[in-house]
Amino acid sequence: MKIITGATGEAHVTSNDDGEFNQGIWGDGVAILTNGNKLSATIVDNNTVRIADGDLVFQGRHALVEPNTYEDMRIATGAAGKNRKDLICVQYKLISGVESMSLVVKKGTATSATAQDPTYTEGVIRTGAILAEYPLYRVNISGINITSVEKLVDVIPYIIDIAKKKIDYGTVLPPASNYKDGDIFLLYEE
């Protein structure tokens, strides 16, 4: 067993150690945190979707669009009479021992039928993936126009707000038959 939060007399904490800890809290997908503007998306024009500041955790790796900044995502021009779906994804890369995360656009295929999402790489970082992607937004394009941007990831509320949330069951908890494995009940009194 390796101690992480303890003095060992030498440098011993790695990004993998932090990643493991974060993944244990936030899960193995993507969690958008409540900070800043929560990576909200805005259509700027028919070729630009703007992603506002905020934080996310992707398979334990924490990244952010810095406060009071944004990232403009370039969307390729659509085709008249065609539909297309693009995905704005968080992308993790590991190249020669150096990790990075960025936002990327995965371009879909234009079709006169119902458009489908493009593919993306579902790597597993903790087992050594050199590329892993996860979609944050779906950009719907009809003809040359972006018609909508759909959020695909939930914003996770502050833990203290979850702990304080009151659930009014009246004077009696639901019957045990309604519980699922892993259900947790917090009693909070003011």
Side-chain angles (χ1 to χ4, degrees), residues 20-37:
E20 288 287 317
F21 182 77
N22 288 334
Q23 188 171 350
I25 295 170
W26 301 109
D28 59 1
V30 169
I32 295 177
L33 307 182
T34 305
N35 300 349
N37 287 299

Side-chain angles (χ1 to χ4, degrees), residues 98-185:
V98 177
E99 297 172 288
S100 66
M101 281 182 31
S102 60
L103 296 174
V104 298
V105 175
K106 306 298 281 189
K107 183 180 174 189
T109 301
T111 178
S112 54
T114 302
Q116 302 297 314
D117 288 341
T119 59
Y120 56 93
T121 302
E122 296 184 46
V124 179
I125 297 169
R126 74 185 307 261
T127 59
I130 60 171
L131 178 64
E133 298 169 326
Y134 198 95
L136 303 177
Y137 292 98
R138 177 181 295 116
V139 181
N140 296 300
I141 302 156
S142 179
I144 62 168
N145 298 311
I146 295 175
T147 57
S148 65
V149 177
E150 298 174 60
K151 182 187 269 186
L152 302 175
V153 176
D154 291 329
V155 173
I156 305 299
Y158 292 121
I159 290 174
I160 190 67
D161 292 339
I162 295 170
K164 287 182 177 179
K165 184 177 181 180
K166 291 183 181 181
I167 302 172
D168 184 9
Y169 291 113
T171 56
V172 194
L173 288 174
S177 61
N178 290 359
Y179 302 161
K180 300 183 302 280
D181 284 347
D183 278 352
I184 297 173
F185 291 95

